[in-house]
Every structure is written in C-alpha cells, then in structure tokens.
Amino acid sequence: MKLSKIAETVCPSPTLSMASRVQEKRAQGVDIVDFSAGEPDFNTPDCVKEAAVQALENNFTHYTPYAGIEELRSAFAKYLADLGLEYSSSQIVVSNGSKHALKNAFTAILDYGDEVIVPAPYWNSYIDIINMCGGVPVVVKTKKSNGFRVQLDQLCEALTKKTKAIIINSPNNPTGMVYSAEELAEIGKFAVDNDLFIISDEIYSRLIYSKKLKHVSIASLGEDIKKRTVVIGGLSKSHAMTGWRVGFSASDTELAEAIGRIQSNSTSNVNSIAQKAAVAALELAEEDANAMLKQFEHRRDYIAQRISDIPFLSSLLPKGAFYIFVDVSKLIGENIGERRIETAADVADILFEKYNVAVVPSDAFGYEDHIRISYATGMREIVEGVNRIERFVKDNF
Ligand code: PMP
Ligand code: GLU
C-alpha cells in the first residue's frame, strides 16, 4: 500500500527532533546543555494556572465555539489594538498554537501549485506546512550584509505568475533580526502591486530588546496592506505557554470565516481550559511577561558578548526573539583528527556528541555556515553551554 506524497515527503520538525535527541541523552544520564528548541524555561505564570484550575472547577469542559470563546477573541483583539491594529473579535480565530494558525491560513489561501515566497533563513516548519497545503515554497536567500532581511529586488526576482503569498517573520527565528517600518512598507507595497497575500508571523512581537525599537506589524501600514495580511501570533513564547497550544490568526473577515470553517472540520475548538487560561494570560500576566522579557534581554547581552569573544565565531546582535545565529564558516574546511568539517551540521554534530551541547545547524533553516543557539534557557545552562562551545573551538582550531 502506498502512502500519500505528503506523507512520504514531510520531514519531522528538526528543532523538535533535536529536542528529542536531548531527552534521549538525558535519560542515559548525560549532562547535556540544551540550546535546541525555542521554548522558554520559565513556568507558566501562576495567575494563568489558577484560571485553568478555576475553569476546571467550573466544569468549563465542553466544546466551545470553533473559532474560540468570545472572551478570548476579544482579548486578542485588544492585544492587537495595543500594536496599532484594529480587528474585531470576529476576525480572529483561536488555534492550537501559531503553528496551527499558519497551517489554517495556508490551507485557506493556497491552491495546488501556488507559490509562496519564503525568505531564508526561515523557521523550519514553513516549508513543510506550505508543502502540506499543496503550495510550492520559493526560497529567497537573504544576505548577512543586509542583516538577513529580504530586499525588494530579491522579491521581484522570485515573483512569477504563480506567486500567491509571501511570508514575513519579524522578529525572526532563527536570526533575531527585526524589520523596520520602511522595509515592511516596501514589502507591503510589493504585495499590493502584485496582488499577493502576506502571512506575517509575529509570534515574537513582544520579545524585542531595545527601548528604541518597537514592534511594527506590516498590517498596520495601510488598509490595502492589512486587507491582504494574515497576522499570526500566540502565547507560547511571550507567556511561557508552549504546552497549552494557544495561537491565533487575525485577518480580513472573509478569510477569517474561511479559516474558522477549515478549523471547524479539523480540530474544532482549542482546549476549553487552555482558552480560559489564555484570557488570564492576556488580562492578568503583563507583569510576568515583562519580567521574562527582562531575563531574555539579560541572557541575550551575555551570550552575544561571549560569542563575540570566541575566536573564529561571530554573529549579528539579535534584536528580538530568543535566538542567536552564529557564523561558523571559519571552521568549515578544517579537520578535527580524522574528521573533516564540511558543513554547519558537522559542527552541530561534534558539539552534540563530544561536548554535550545541543544546537540546531542552519540547514534546518534553509541556510549554510551557521548554528542557532536558543537562549530561552537558564543562566547556569547558558554559561556552561558557552564554556563548552569555547572549549570546542580552542581545543580544535
Ligand atoms: N512561528 C515561529 C517563527 C516559531 O519560532 C514558532 C516556534 N514554535 C512557531 C511559529 C510556532 O509556535 P506555537 O505553535 O507554539 O505557537
Ligand atoms: N519554534 C521553536 C523552535 O524553533 C519550537 C520548535 C517547533 O515548534 O518546531 O525551536
């Protein structure tokens, strides 16, 4: 019996796979530093957990409206209003994490063979999600010299008659870079001029590390841009709620209704308890989220300094999210004993096997010569992990 083409080609998420390899090593008693998955080490804030307990006690355990409870859709609308985006609650669909919101959005806009422009480095799941929806990802490689931000001439070059959408992720996973309002306006105009949808993955919008830098949503840059944009967000990163699976999409009414209908026939509503918890996160956990943000900034500063002090390694200073994208190109082509280092994956492999540090090589993100370090982990781990990376470089190069 033959499985579908999708089943045969879909890859396991490389970030989650690396996280599983870490669990396996830990189960064998190995002291491994985990810089792999982008998952906050913090506990979910108490007020959020209490709201969940309360929901259970109140027997809030039935199906809810498939697009989410009104209270939560309104709370997300208010959250977006604080970013300068006006959406009614009916334009918001609550999904099982932002990953699911992305899947719903692409299902709603793509026909078989439609192309989606994906700037690289990209978050790994975009490619598989687009493929699963019958689309064709068209990868456009950004340059380090442009701060890993896609340029207009690159978009024009990638455009074909089949282009249906472009995906923008700012702050970005894996580079931590942030687009300026001017750059986003240019991309927005490109989308308007060529009648494209914009999928704007803003899951890291609350995680920006400069008072001077503010998150700008591309949808806030004009009605004609907003109409064709799907804003994607969620609570996994900003509120340490990865396991609760709460994300959302906000879009034009017609598209939001389609996304709702798609979800109603696939997963129905998000877990009812998690929805109540999410309302508490948005209404009561501002201080907790700010405290985590401060910790992330402190970690970013530390790790960026340490990496810049290690010979042969370099990186741009991440402005947001919780990743640092480290250039290891100077190690490529060198030998360690019998082993020749050909790619960033070799670097990651040696770090994992010999130095017990888990990082994700950049081929997972459609790029070469880099490793991604997630600093969404405690300071003790960060210090130890960077010490091991430093030892790896000093021992071998
Ligand atoms: N988008 C980006 C850029 C991410 O890094 C992640 C990481 N999990 C997601 C979406 C999905 O997050 P979640 O489904 O937990 O909301
Ligand atoms: N987004 C996180 C990461 O990039 C979590 C893993 C995943 O959802 O694939 O590591």
Side-chain angles (χ1 to χ4, degrees), residues 13 15-16 37-38 99 123-124 173 237 323 372:
S13 156
T15 41
L16 294 180
K99 199 181 266 185
W123 177 51
N124 42 277
N173 176 5
K237 315 293 177 174
Y323 309 99
R372 187 194 77 174

Side-chain angles (χ1 to χ4, degrees), residues 221-243:
L221 301 176
E223 255 327 291
D224 45 355
I225 298 177
K226 184 177 172 215
K227 250 178 38 198
R228 58 187 61 250
T229 300
V230 185
V231 176
I232 303 285
L235 298 172
S236 290
K237 315 293 177 174
S238 55
H239 290 73
M241 289 180 67
T242 44

Side-chain angles (χ1 to χ4, degrees), residues 97-99 123 126 169 173 201 203-204 236-237 245 323:
S98 60
K99 199 181 266 185
W123 177 51
Y126 296 152
N169 171 218
N173 176 5
D201 182 348
I203 180 85
Y204 297 102
S236 290
K237 315 293 177 174
R245 310 308 302 135
Y323 309 99

Side-chain angles (χ1 to χ4, degrees), residues 53-98:
V53 170
Q54 196 61 53
L56 252 184
E57 278 175 2
N58 293 344
N59 291 307
F60 193 74
T61 54
H62 297 271
Y63 290 133
T64 75
Y66 55 77
I69 54 175
E70 179 55 31
E71 236 183 316
L72 181 54
R73 294 170 90 189
S74 304
F76 274 129
K78 185 169 173 310
Y79 165 93
L80 289 170
D82 293 342
L83 297 176
L85 292 170
E86 205 179 304
Y87 286 101
S88 66
S89 55
S90 63
Q91 293 176 292
I92 288 165
V93 178
V94 180
S95 300
N96 288 285
S98 60

